[in-house]
Amino acid sequence: WQTATPASVGQFSAVGYFFGRMLYKALGIPVGLITSNWGGSTIEAWMTVEAIDATPGIDHAVAKSGTYDNSIPQRLYNGMILPVCRYTAKGFIWYQGESNKGYHAKYPYDMAALAANWRAAWGGGEQMPFYYVQLAPFDYDIPMHRFRGEENPILLPLMVEAQIRALDLIPNTGMAVNTDLGDETQIHPPRKDLVGQRLALLALTGTYGCEGIDSRGPLFERA
């Protein structure tokens, strides 16, 4: 374990750092965080092949069709989740989605399978919270970021809708809203402090029993 200092946090997740710092300030107890991340990875790489095979509502052939290192099913699960699953953990925070754009119809089921997969690895069951971040606003019609090279101006809202649907599939979860924090020209939103704080508010109310805080934000109901 390392103490959080300017020298040690430079290679750590910025969202994770601000998440942990807010929990520490609110709870007054030490907070330990383990980060496992790989840029540009698909969700399938972070879960087992068995979890993919057992996931309803998806085309399993498509889900297992990863062709590069950070998209091959179970590759990152083996390399970056299994080595840390013997550490005691309270719960999980998840921030991903852009590499699964275009496959929005199956993404809610993927997320539910991932949460169940990780909970099983730690043996903690549904009482382990699984909080996640909404995909940040970004112009995915910039040529280098297009899905299959095709222009699709609603690719982002379709993916966000999929993340909202996952709220009904995953027990003990919450989504940190990110719509107001992004930049259409920067795939990494600049306000990582606010993203981390919104995740922390979910944990403070949903896991640590803090009251008097509206941590969920607005959700669309109907049109």
Side-chain angles (χ1 to χ4, degrees):
W1 294 101
Q2 290 182 309
T3 302
T5 66
S8 67
V9 301
Q11 299 303 312
F12 197 78
S13 160
V15 169
Y17 168 77
F18 288 112
F19 169 79
R21 188 177 74 168
M22 187 167 182
L23 289 185
Y24 169 70
K25 288 183 175 182
L27 300 172
I29 58 174
V31 175
L33 296 167
I34 298 173
T35 180
S36 288
N37 49 68
W38 193 291
S41 56
T42 63
I43 193 171
E44 292 86 358
W46 296 96
M47 54 203 291
T48 63
V49 172
E50 291 77 12
I52 294 172
D53 286 336
T55 304
I58 70 170
D59 184 329
H60 296 107
V62 171
K64 295 191 290 185
S65 61
T67 55
Y68 51 96
D69 284 351
N70 55 357
S71 72
I72 296 173
Q74 197 167 316
R75 174 67 64 88
L76 298 180
Y77 178 89
N78 286 344
M80 304 187 74
I81 298 300
L82 281 182
V84 299
C85 72
R86 290 187 179 273
Y87 284 92
T88 299
K90 184 78 170 178
F92 311 103
I93 54 175
W94 174 251
Y95 192 0
Q96 189 269 347
E98 69 279 355
S99 293
N100 286 91
K101 63 183 184 290
Y103 297 106
H104 44 272
K106 75 183 190 69
Y107 193 71
Y109 304 99
D110 286 331
M111 287 187 65
L114 177 87
N117 200 180
W118 287 11
R119 286 165 170 170
W122 265 264
E126 292 180 357
Q127 67 266 30
M128 296 185 78
F130 183 88
Y131 301 122
Y132 59 95
V133 181
Q134 187 182 59
L135 193 57
F138 176 72
D139 182 6
Y140 285 106
D141 276 338
I142 294 175
M144 67 175 293
H145 289 285
R146 288 177 182 171
F147 176 63
R148 295 177 175 172
E150 299 174 0
E151 189 173 352
N152 186 346
I154 63 169
L155 205 59
L156 174 64
L158 286 171
M159 200 64 185
V160 170
E161 182 182 53
Q163 292 179 302
I164 294 172
R165 288 178 175 174
L167 290 170
D168 294 327
L169 300 177
I170 306 172
N172 194 11
T173 191
M175 181 180 69
V177 175
N178 207 10
T179 299
D180 59 322
L181 301 179
D183 186 317
E184 66 177 1
T185 64
Q186 298 290 331
I187 198 166
H188 297 287
R191 294 306 305 270
K192 293 181 173 63
D193 54 337
L194 293 179
V195 177
Q197 289 170 20
R198 291 178 185 182
L199 281 170
L201 289 175
L202 291 172
L204 288 171
T205 57
T207 302
Y208 294 101
C210 295
E211 298 179 349
I213 302 171
D214 183 4
S215 62
R216 298 280 168 170
L219 277 177
F220 173 82
E221 288 187 354
R222 63 187 180 276

